[in-house]
Every structure is written in structure tokens, then in C-alpha cells.
Amino acid sequence: MTSSSQAQPGQPPVPSAEAQALHRALFTLDSHIDIPWPDRGDAFEDTETRRVDLPKMQKGGMSAGCFVAYIAQAMVNAEGHAQAQAQCLAMLDVINTMQGTHNGVTARVCSTVAEITAAYEAGVLAVIPAVENGYAMGDNPAVLVQFRAKGARYVTLTHNGHNALADAAVHRPSLGDKPENHGGLSVLGREAVREMNRLGLLIDVSHASKKTMLQAVAASAVPVVASHSCVRTLCDHPRNLDDEQLDALKESGGVIQITAMPAFLKPKDENGARSAGVSAFVDHIDYVVRRIGAEHVGISSDFDGGGALADWQNATQGVNLTAELLRRGYDKSEIAAFWGGNFMRLLARAEAVAAEQTGTIG
């Protein structure tokens, strides 16, 4: 990584002036950030506990973030569905409070590409709601209308454990899961995909089983996104996408957002230890670019959901990733595509399909 001589021992190198200037000039979008729950009302505070809060985004030159209402998988029954739905709607309400001006930071909740672009042009942070785990929908696709009305732009089909929509990459025997419950998408899951297309919600295939992911690609009228996943060839983890899945993404126009989760980036070493930095992260970007092209890969952190790298610990340090991309020889247009352009293209496509189907985008 290009750096000055100012780095302190044990600290990442200081990015070059070129990298810092480029990072500040880019539209930078992190496609997957968890929020604390229960809510602590501290989004506008520079906290010690959150890897992403709005002051850290501003300090780190971040333009936009997808903040997710994450719902842990529980029993697939009426009681579990009701609890998941109520929590998800409450979490989306909290995400919708992350706007206004406080402590010298201004943010807007944005639910369309036009709103995100307008916020960026105004120098305002864009907060983009999303939902992680279709379990929050329960067995009622009409709930997706409520998610979209609260600004959500994608729904992750599963988390760890199968739900009523689909099989997950990681099954949960403790919840009664078989290795497969549906053989991919269920009939309900296919209905949910159609409804998400109608509403302008992206289908997120992170956490989905391979069969679920490939079936979602085939079923969706909009290219799918893997909002926080890595490359299985480089790290053999069931959460990662293999070459057949990457090829399916290319054919459909989809995008994989590489994520800052060490367990997805590098295998353990011979001593059973694992560590990863932005260099390992960009190895995965390199692989996707070589395999399917620069237009099919983006960036996510999974901050506050387990993501963190040695030299990308929080939202203030995204410039280290930009510096590594520059060092690898990527040009400004490619880095801009990785940092948000490719993901925004998918959002725009989802809006266009929704408009074709309903005359609106949500």
C-alpha cells in the first residue's frame, strides 16, 4: 500500500495524499451495516461501541450506507413470524430516525436512487434502509409492502437457518432444519421474489444456499445482489459464492459485494489462527474482476454485524481500501464502480422494473 513514513508501529500505513483525495472525491456506499438493538439513540454520536455511526461516516469520507434491520432466525411458526415482523418494523422505524442535523452531521433517509444522488450532491449522508432475513416477512408477502413503505431497498432471503421462503447456506438443526427443507426457494419464496420485483426491493442472496441463490437469479426479473459475501474459491466457506454462482451473477447482471469478515476472506493458518486486512479483501475483488468483470463487484463492511479487518476497523478507515485498490492498478472509474456505482445500477434497475410493473417505484 502506498503510504507515508508517518505510520506508527502496529497501525496501518498512512494512505498517500492521492488516495485520500480520491477517496474524498468518490461516492462511497457501504452496502451492509447492522444497527444496534435495542436502539441506544446514538447514531449521531461518535461512539466507542459502534463501528459505524454518522460522525464516523462523515470523518471517513463515506457517502452512503445500507443500514439493516437484522432479524435472527427462530422457529418457523406463527408466533415466531409475528415477533420477527414486529421487531423488523420497529428497527426500520429506528433507521428512519437517522436523519436531520445533529452534532454537526446532516443525514437523510433515502429510498430511491434520485434521493441518494441528491443527498450526495448536497454533501449530506445518505441512510438507506434494508432488511436482513426474509423470516421477518413470515409467510405473508404483503408485509413486504410495509418494508418498502419504510424505505427498505433490499431483503436478504435468509440468514443462518432455513425459513419459510428458502433454504440457507448454513442450516440449523437446533431449529429443526434438515440440510434442505425446500430444495432452494419454496413456492412462497418464489411469490416473495415476484412481489419484491413489483415493489423495487432487491433480492439479496447472501446467506442463501447455492440452490436458493441460483433459483433466485432465474426467478427474478431484476439482477440479484449478494450484499455481503466473498469468493468460495479463495476461502471455502458455505456463505461464499463459488464460480458457478459468480457466472450466474454475470449472466443476470448481478453484483457481489465483498465483505470485511475475516472468516469469509482467508482460511485459518497452520496454527489455527486467522487474520485479514484490506489486502485479502482486494484479493477477492481481483478474483471477481478476472472471473466476471469489474461491473459485478462492490464493497460492504458488515460492520456492527461481525465485520472488521486489521486495517479497516470502522467507517473512518475506508480510505485504506481505496489506497489498496489504487496500489493494485485500478483506475478512478473502476474504484468508483466498486464503491457504489455497481450497487446503484442495481437499485436503478429495480426501480425501472417496478415502474414497468406498477407505474411506481414503491
Side-chain angles (χ1 to χ4, degrees):
M1 182 186 297
T2 303
S3 65
S4 77
S5 60
Q6 302 301 310
Q8 299 299 313
Q11 297 294 319
V14 178
S16 67
E18 178 189 11
Q20 294 187 51
L22 175 59
H23 189 75
R24 289 285 173 179
L26 292 172
F27 170 78
T28 49
L29 182 151
D30 180 343
S31 68
H32 198 87
I33 304 162
D34 284 67
I35 64 166
W37 194 257
D39 178 52
R40 300 192 295 259
D42 57 0
F44 280 89
E45 298 175 17
D46 190 352
T47 68
E48 294 184 0
T49 54
R50 295 178 74 152
R51 295 187 187 275
V52 183
D53 50 44
L54 297 172
K56 287 186 181 69
M57 287 183 70
Q58 180 170 275
K59 182 178 179 181
M62 293 300 301
S63 309
C66 295
F67 288 84
V68 300
Y70 157 65
I71 303 299
Q73 186 63 41
M75 296 301 295
V76 180
N77 56 31
E79 180 181 5
H81 288 162
Q83 291 176 353
Q85 178 185 340
Q87 180 179 326
C88 185
L89 293 172
M91 294 178 84
L92 288 171
D93 285 341
V94 165
I95 294 168
N96 273 272
T97 68
M98 294 171 59
Q99 56 185 326
T101 301
H102 307 277
N103 297 332
V105 179
T106 302
R108 293 180 193 164
V109 174
C110 300
S111 65
T112 66
V113 168
E115 290 173 356
I116 297 165
T117 301
Y120 174 64
E121 291 176 348
V124 173
L125 299 177
V127 172
I128 305 162
V131 172
E132 184 173 19
N133 198 356
Y135 179 58
M137 187 203 86
D139 58 4
N140 183 8
V143 175
L144 296 168
V145 176
Q146 297 181 62
F147 295 165
R148 186 68 188 96
K150 293 180 184 293
R153 287 313 313 263
Y154 68 73
V155 175
T156 316
L157 289 173
T158 70
H159 194 255
N160 296 330
H162 310 323
N163 58 32
L165 280 68
D167 292 333
V170 177
H171 73 291
R172 299 274 301 280
S174 62
L175 295 175
D177 287 353
K178 302 173 184 177
E180 289 186 347
N181 283 5
H182 308 290
L185 284 173
S186 68
V187 172
L188 176 68
R190 292 177 183 276
E191 183 182 353
V193 166
R194 291 191 295 271
E195 181 67 354
M196 283 190 263
N197 287 167
R198 188 185 72 83
L199 293 168
L201 285 162
L202 287 175
I203 289 88
D204 176 15
V205 297
S206 288
H207 286 283
S209 73
K210 180 175 179 177
K211 286 184 180 178
T212 295
M213 181 270 177
L214 293 175
Q215 291 170 16
V217 168
S220 178
V222 177
V224 305
V225 65
S227 73
H228 58 304
S229 294
C230 296
V231 174
R232 191 151 189 176
T233 299
L234 299 183
C235 185
D236 188 12
H237 191 290
R239 275 277 284 104
N240 288 343
L241 274 58
D242 66 18
D243 286 353
E244 183 180 0
Q245 292 171 287
L246 292 176
D247 292 346
L249 273 186
K250 178 179 181 178
E251 292 172 10
S252 71
V255 176
I256 177 174
Q257 302 283 117
I258 304 302
T259 199
M261 186 73 76
F264 303 162
L265 289 170
K266 289 181 68 175
K268 291 181 179 178
D269 63 23
E270 60 274 12
N271 298 316
R274 180 190 283 114
S275 63
V278 296
S279 178
F281 188 104
V282 178
D283 287 345
H284 285 248
I285 289 179
D286 284 347
Y287 186 94
V288 178
V289 170
R290 290 193 301 268
R291 179 84 190 185
I292 62 174
E295 65 271 34
H296 299 290
V297 63
I299 292 168
S300 70
S301 67
D302 204 2
F303 281 150
D304 297 317
L309 303 178
D311 44 3
W312 190 25
Q313 286 282 312
N314 58 48
T316 70
Q317 295 182 321
V319 64
N320 293 336
L321 186 50
T322 300
E324 179 67 11
L325 290 165
L326 272 176
R327 192 188 71 77
R328 300 281 178 109
Y330 290 106
D331 63 28
K332 180 179 179 179
S333 65
E334 292 169 320
I335 298 172
F338 303 153
W339 261 125
N342 291 335
F343 185 81
M344 290 282 280
R345 183 184 72 248
L346 260 59
L347 289 181
R349 181 59 186 153
E351 292 176 13
V353 169
E356 291 166 6
Q357 294 187 3
T358 67
T360 65
I361 58 170

